[in-house]
């Protein structure tokens, strides 16, 4: 949406919008996506990331500081993804953090390609592997248990300049498209 975020609680709607002079509001009215991790954190993707603060009914906009509470130390740029098992992935530079939300265990992986090579707007997963697209034309994935990383070259005619999204279906098919 380009008009903020609307929440319906079963009784009424509440509208959240960006108010540049007010702290703890949306950073932008352009909301691109919502994800909820296994800890109940609702991650909002926009021009940057935010976390909905249920206790205060507002937004945490200092995500790097928020993540420090889980032992995750990042710098810009970074990407956030919640997988199908509700675990939290955070990619920053050459580090990939995986917070297993069911038991609070944090795993850190050194990645072979940095975020500067990442073309993916969004990640996808099959429960065991995290997938993304890399420049100059690779499908990248990492196993969440072993940390084993694979880069598969895309065939001619499939360019990450045109295809910047990936989706993994329940049969293991990997779908690429542009948005």
């Amino acid at each position: 949406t380009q008009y903020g975020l609307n929440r319906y609680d079963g009784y009424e709607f509440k509208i959240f919008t960006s108010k540049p002079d007010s702290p703890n509001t949306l950073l932008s009215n352009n909301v691109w996506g919502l994800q909820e991790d296994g800890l109940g954190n609702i991650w909002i993707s926009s021009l940057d990331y935010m976390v909905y603060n249920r206790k205060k009914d507002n937004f945490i906009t200092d995500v790097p500081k928020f993540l420090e509470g889980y032992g995750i130390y990042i710098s810009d740029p970074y990407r956030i993804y919640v997988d199908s098992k509700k675990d939290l992935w955070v990619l920053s530079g050459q580090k990939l953090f995986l917070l297993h939300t069911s038991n609070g265990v944090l795993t850190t992986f050194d990645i072979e390609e940095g975020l500067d090579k990442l073309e993916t707007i969004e990640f996808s997963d099959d429960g065991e592997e995290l997938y993304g697209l890399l420049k100059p034309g690779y499908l990248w994935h990492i196993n969440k248990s072993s940390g084993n990383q694979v880069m598969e070259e895309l065939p001619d005619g499939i360019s990450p300049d045109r295809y910047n999204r990936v989706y993994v279906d329940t049969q293991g098919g990997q779908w690429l498209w542009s948005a």
Side-chain angles (χ1 to χ4, degrees):
T1 178
Q2 296 179 353
Y3 306 104
L5 194 54
N6 305 295
R7 183 191 67 214
Y8 182 66
D9 64 5
Y11 300 100
E12 62 185 3
F13 280 94
K14 181 163 186 179
I15 301 169
F16 297 94
T17 58
S18 175
K19 297 176 183 143
D21 296 330
S22 298
N24 304 105
T25 65
L26 292 175
L27 294 171
S28 168
N29 286 326
N30 292 317
V31 175
W32 301 333
L34 299 172
Q35 302 179 84
E36 185 173 3
D37 67 27
L39 300 172
N41 297 314
I42 298 176
W43 296 88
I44 299 101
S45 58
S46 182
L47 300 174
D48 210 340
Y49 292 95
M50 298 160 278
V51 181
Y52 175 66
N53 184 339
R54 291 175 191 266
K55 291 180 184 173
K56 296 184 179 181
D57 197 29
N58 64 17
F59 300 90
I60 298 166
T61 56
D62 189 349
V63 170
K65 185 174 181 177
F66 177 78
L67 288 170
E68 287 176 10
Y70 297 113
I72 300 171
Y73 296 89
I74 63 169
S75 60
D76 284 332
Y78 60 91
R79 291 269 197 258
I80 304 280
Y81 179 72
V82 177
D83 70 20
S84 59
K85 293 186 177 179
K86 300 297 184 187
D87 290 333
L88 178 67
W89 296 82
V90 181
L91 175 63
S92 178
Q94 297 293 121
K95 296 286 184 193
L96 180 63
F97 302 92
L98 169 60
L99 180 63
H100 299 269
T101 58
S102 62
N103 59 16
V105 172
L106 177 64
T107 305
T108 304
F109 302 104
D110 291 318
I111 61 168
E112 296 166 3
E113 294 290 336
L115 187 55
D116 60 322
K117 303 263 184 180
L118 186 69
E119 184 64 23
T120 302
I121 291 177
E122 293 180 9
F123 292 103
S124 189
D125 74 281
D126 63 8
E128 291 303 318
E129 302 267 338
L130 178 72
Y131 293 82
L133 293 173
L134 295 173
K135 292 180 184 177
Y138 290 91
L139 176 66
W140 169 84
H141 52 105
I142 184 169
N143 182 282
K144 74 188 301 183
S145 298
S146 69
N148 185 42
Q149 299 173 55
V150 176
M151 291 189 14
E152 300 176 42
E153 190 169 4
L154 298 175
D156 290 339
I158 299 179
S159 166
D161 294 330
R162 289 186 300 214
Y163 299 92
N164 56 15
R165 296 196 183 216
V166 59
Y167 172 75
V168 181
D169 67 29
T170 58
Q171 304 297 310
Q174 299 154 19
W175 300 78
L176 309 177
W177 80 97
S178 181

